[in-house]
Amino acid sequence: MATTMDSNAHNKKVLWMSLAGLAVLGVVAVYAVNNSSTPAPVPETAATGAARATGSTSPARAGTVTLPTGTAISMTLQTSLTTKTASVGDRFTAHVSSPVMVAGRTVIPAGAEVSGHVALTEQPGKASGRGQMQLSYDTVRFGGRTYEMSSNSRVYESESGRGKDAAIIGGGAVAGGVIGAIIGGSAADAGKGAAAGAVAGTATSLMTRGPQLQLDAGTVLQVTLDQPVTVRPAASS
């Protein structure tokens, strides 16, 4: 009787061990299936996070070069401008005359087209003064692409009109003195004529403007960037 009970107990123990083994095999099988169908996650870096946010797989603005504030660009004006006729907002074009280099590489090639507008224009005063003009550079175009510039030139000025005024007044005084002497025949009359001529010369000066500022096509201008400019160098550079 005891032998029968021991046999039953042994059979139950074997059964439970078999069931436990099958359970372990099932867990292992499920784990293997899940790992074969789902790849392990890759840690996200700042670069991959930025690419995911922008929907791009390449770094933003790859292959571009930024020219810092203060970069000098030499250009040749293609449009004639004068304070006599120019108005604020008038458009002009210029061509880059010397390539802009960074670390031995051409960033903006010679011949690139610059487009801009007149930001300030003032005629010289009638009594004296100088004509003034300031240019605003808006874009530069090369390699089939256009880039914003947003930089202003210095204020260009014409020559002073004070020498002209002195010549007009002096000339009027001399002419008046000669006429007074001829008419009156005396030194007093000559003095009166000179005074009258000076007054007439002053009036003429007040009615005549000083020299206008003239920027002819072909004038070489120099601009210093007010803000950084990011461009993609031409393929040929």
Side-chain angles (χ1 to χ4, degrees), residues 9 53 62 72 80 100 116 125 129 136 140 151 162 182 184 194-195 198 209 228 230 233 236-237:
S80 294
V100 180
S136 181
V140 58
S151 290
R162 293 188 181 276
I182 293 174
R209 292 187 183 276
T230 299
S236 59
S237 62

Side-chain angles (χ1 to χ4, degrees), residues 110-192:
E113 183 178 271
V114 176
S115 178
H117 67 276
V118 176
L120 166 71
T121 178
E122 289 185 3
Q123 294 197 52
K126 290 184 177 180
S128 62
R130 301 171 184 264
Q132 295 184 333
M133 185 179 294
Q134 185 177 32
L135 306 180
S136 181
Y137 305 100
D138 302 326
T139 62
V140 58
R141 180 174 177 80
F142 62 92
R145 295 183 175 91
T146 301
Y147 307 95
E148 299 292 330
M149 288 186 65
S150 300
S151 290
N152 293 323
S153 73
R154 65 179 178 84
V155 176
Y156 300 107
E157 291 187 338
S158 65
E159 296 181 356
S160 173
R162 293 188 181 276
K164 166 193 71 69
D165 295 342
I168 291 176
I169 294 171
V174 172
V178 172
I179 294 174
I182 293 174
I183 295 176
S186 67
D189 292 332
K192 292 178 182 178

Side-chain angles (χ1 to χ4, degrees), residues 59-146:
R61 302 180 70 81
T64 60
V65 175
T66 298
L67 298 173
T69 299
T71 299
I73 301 177
S74 179
M75 61 188 69
T76 303
L77 191 63
Q78 302 297 303
T79 308
S80 294
L81 299 169
T82 173
T83 52
K84 185 175 182 179
T85 58
S87 300
V88 172
D90 285 356
R91 305 296 305 178
F92 70 88
T93 58
H95 289 164
V96 174
S97 53
S98 300
V100 180
M101 311 288 291
V102 173
R105 182 185 185 189
T106 300
V107 177
I108 298 180
E113 183 178 271
V114 176
S115 178
H117 67 276
V118 176
L120 166 71
T121 178
E122 289 185 3
Q123 294 197 52
K126 290 184 177 180
S128 62
R130 301 171 184 264
Q132 295 184 333
M133 185 179 294
Q134 185 177 32
L135 306 180
S136 181
Y137 305 100
D138 302 326
T139 62
V140 58
R141 180 174 177 80
F142 62 92
R145 295 183 175 91
T146 301

Side-chain angles (χ1 to χ4, degrees), residues 44-55:
E44 183 176 280
T45 64
T48 57
R52 178 175 54 80
T54 59

Side-chain angles (χ1 to χ4, degrees), residues 14 24 36 39 42 48 82 136 175 225-226:
V14 171
V24 171
S36 63
V42 178
T48 57
T82 173
S136 181
L225 295 181
D226 297 339

